[in-house]
Amino acid sequence: MINGLTMDDCPLTLTAVVERAETFHHGRSVVSRRPDGDIVRTTLGACAHRARRLATALASLGVEAGDRVATLLWNQAEHLELYFAVPTMGAVIHTLNPRLHPDDLGAIAADADDKVLVVDDSLLGVLAGFHDAHAFRHIIVVGGTGDTPAGARDYEELIASAEPMRWPVLDERRAAAMCYTSGTTGRPKGVVYSHRALVLHSLVAALPDQLEVSARDTVLPVVPMFHANAWGLPYAAALTGAALVLPGPRLDPVSVLDLLAGERVTMTAGVPTVWMGMLAALDAEPWRWDLDGLERLIVGGAAVPRSMLEGFDRHGLQVIQAWGMTETAPIGSVCRLPEELDEATPDERYEFRGRQGIAAPFVDIRARGDDGRLIAWDDRAMGELEVRGPWVAASYHRRGSDEASFTADGWFRTGDIVRIDPRGCIRICDRAKDLVKSGGEWISSVDLENHLMAHPAVAQAAVIAVPDDRWGERPLAAIALHEGTTASPDELREHLTQEFAKWQLPDRFEFMATIPTTATGKFQKTALRERFTRGV
Ligand code: AMP
C-alpha cells in the first residue's frame, strides 16, 4: 500500500490558463469588431498583461476575494480581459445578458449582489433601464464617448493608472464565474462555476473528439460571452493558443460571413438561428466569401435540423452539433460521427448527426421515465435526462439543491426528454420544462400565462412553443376570454410589455371557448401543440 501524497497537488485554477496565454501564446491575435464596425487588433499576451493591471485597479476600488464583478459587454477584447482578471484575482465574473428585460437584469444584479459593473458604452441605454434596481458600488465604462452615468470610471484610465498584479494562489474550488439561466417561472437562477470546473471544461473542450480547439485554430465565438461562458471557447483558446475573433454586437449573416472570410477563421460556434440566416446568405451568393479555411461550425443551444446539416454540406462546411446548458458550463455532449459510420448511407449519417451526441468525458448521463425508473439505452424508451460531472451545477446561487432541479442522489435534472441509443448517443425528443427557446434565448410560458391571466378579460391562457424557420421556436398564446368580454391581440401584447421584452411577446394569439385540460386540471399542451403546429 502506498500512502501519502504521490503527485504535486497543485490547484486547477484559471491562473494557470491565463499565465499560459501570457507566457506561451502571447503573440496570438485577438481581433474585436466594435459596435461601429471598426476592427481592433490585440494579442492574448496584451490581454493577459492588461488583465494584471485591471485586477490591481479593481482591487483599489475595493473588489475583494469572492466579490462579484458584473459585465454588460459584447464579445470584445475587454470582455476577455475581464474573463482573465476577475477570477484570477480571486473575485467572480458575472456576465449579464443585455437581451433580458430590465426588471430581470435588476433582480439578477441584486440577487448576485454585484459590487462593480463594467459596461460597454453602447450598452449604457440598457443599464439605464435597471440602474435604480441595484446600487453598484462602481460603474466602469468601456469605450466611453458619450453621456456616462455620474461618477462612472473610464476603463482605459483605470488600466493605465494601475501596476500589474502578482496573481494570488487560489483554491481550485473557489468560485470563478457566474451566469443566470431562465427558470420555468419566476426570476432567472444563478449558476456559480468553480475554477476547477472551468479548467477541466477547457481541457475537455479542446480534445479532438470534442470541440477540438488547438493552437492552429482561429476561433470566432458567435455565442455571446454572456451566455454560458461562450461555451468555454475563450478559456479553451487561452489554454491552447488559438487566436480569437470577437464579433461584437453585429451578428447579421453578412457581417459574420465577412469576418469569417476576412480573418480566415477555422472554427465558429453559435445557436441554429445564426446559421440558418448564414446559410440563406451563402445560398444566395455562394461565391462572395472564401471560407476554405473554415473547418467546423459548432452548433448547439437548440436542435439542429437536418436541412441545416445538408445545407452546409452543400457548401463543404462541417456542422457539429453539441448539447449543453448554463448548468453544465455548458458542454454536456458532442456529436462526432463514429468511424463505423464513415461508409454508412447519407440517411444513416444524417440520422446520427441530427442527434445531440455522446456525453463529454467526466459527464455521466442517465434518463428517467414517467414511471420513475431509469430507461434502457435502446433508442426507444424516453425519459428525462439527468447528468452529473465536475462542471455540472450542484445547486443554484442562494436557492440550494431544490428537488425540482436535483435528484436525491445529486444528479442535475435537465428537463430535456431523450432517447439514448446503445452507443450512449442521446437524441432530444421533447422538453419537460415549460419554456420556449427563441433565437437561443428563453421565454417562460408560465410567466406569460400568469401575466396574461392577470388581464381582466382573460379567463385562461396557455402558451406553447411553435416551430419557426428563423428563430427555432416562437411563443403562441391560446386564450379563453371571460364571457361577454373582448380583448384584441394588440391589447394583450400591450398588457405584456410591462413585464416582458418585445422579442418575448407571443406572435400569435388563438382564441378558444375553453382550453383543453388533462385529468389533473393542467392545460393539455400536447393537444394545443398538435392543433396549432399543424396549422389546423
Ligand atoms: P441554456 O441553459 O440557455 O444554454 O439552455 C440549455 C437548453 O437548451 C437545454 O436544456 C436544451 O433544452 C436546449 N439545447 C441545448 N443544446 C441543444 C441541442 N443541441 N439540441 C436541442 N436542444 C438543445
Side-chain angles (χ1 to χ4, degrees), residues 366-383:
R366 67 187 188 192
R368 196 178 296 281
D370 280 344
D371 59 2
R373 296 207 188 147
L374 296 181
I375 61 164
W377 291 15
D378 59 7
D379 212 18
R380 283 200 299 273
M382 286 206 283

Side-chain angles (χ1 to χ4, degrees), residues 181 227 301-303 321-326 356 416 428 433 437 442:
T181 180
H227 198 151
Q321 175 159 204
W323 168 87
M325 306 182 67
T326 304
Q356 282 68 23
D416 287 323
I428 296 185
K433 43 200 174 197
K437 200 162 204 189
W442 292 114

Side-chain angles (χ1 to χ4, degrees), residues 446-510:
V446 181
D447 284 352
L448 279 173
E449 288 160 8
N450 288 341
H451 205 69
L452 280 166
M453 286 190 279
H455 187 281
V458 176
Q460 294 175 308
V463 173
I464 55 164
V466 290
D468 181 271
D469 283 346
R470 177 148 186 226
W471 300 109
E473 292 175 1
R474 290 294 301 151
L476 174 151
I479 303 283
L481 294 174
H482 287 297
E483 251 184 58
T485 60
T486 56
S488 68
D490 279 348
E491 188 182 333
L492 294 177
R493 240 179 247 121
E494 180 57 35
H495 168 75
L496 291 172
T497 49
Q498 299 154 18
E499 284 282 327
F500 296 89
K502 217 163 157 203
W503 62 269
Q504 295 177 318
L505 305 182
D507 294 333
R508 272 170 72 189
F509 287 84
E510 296 287 344

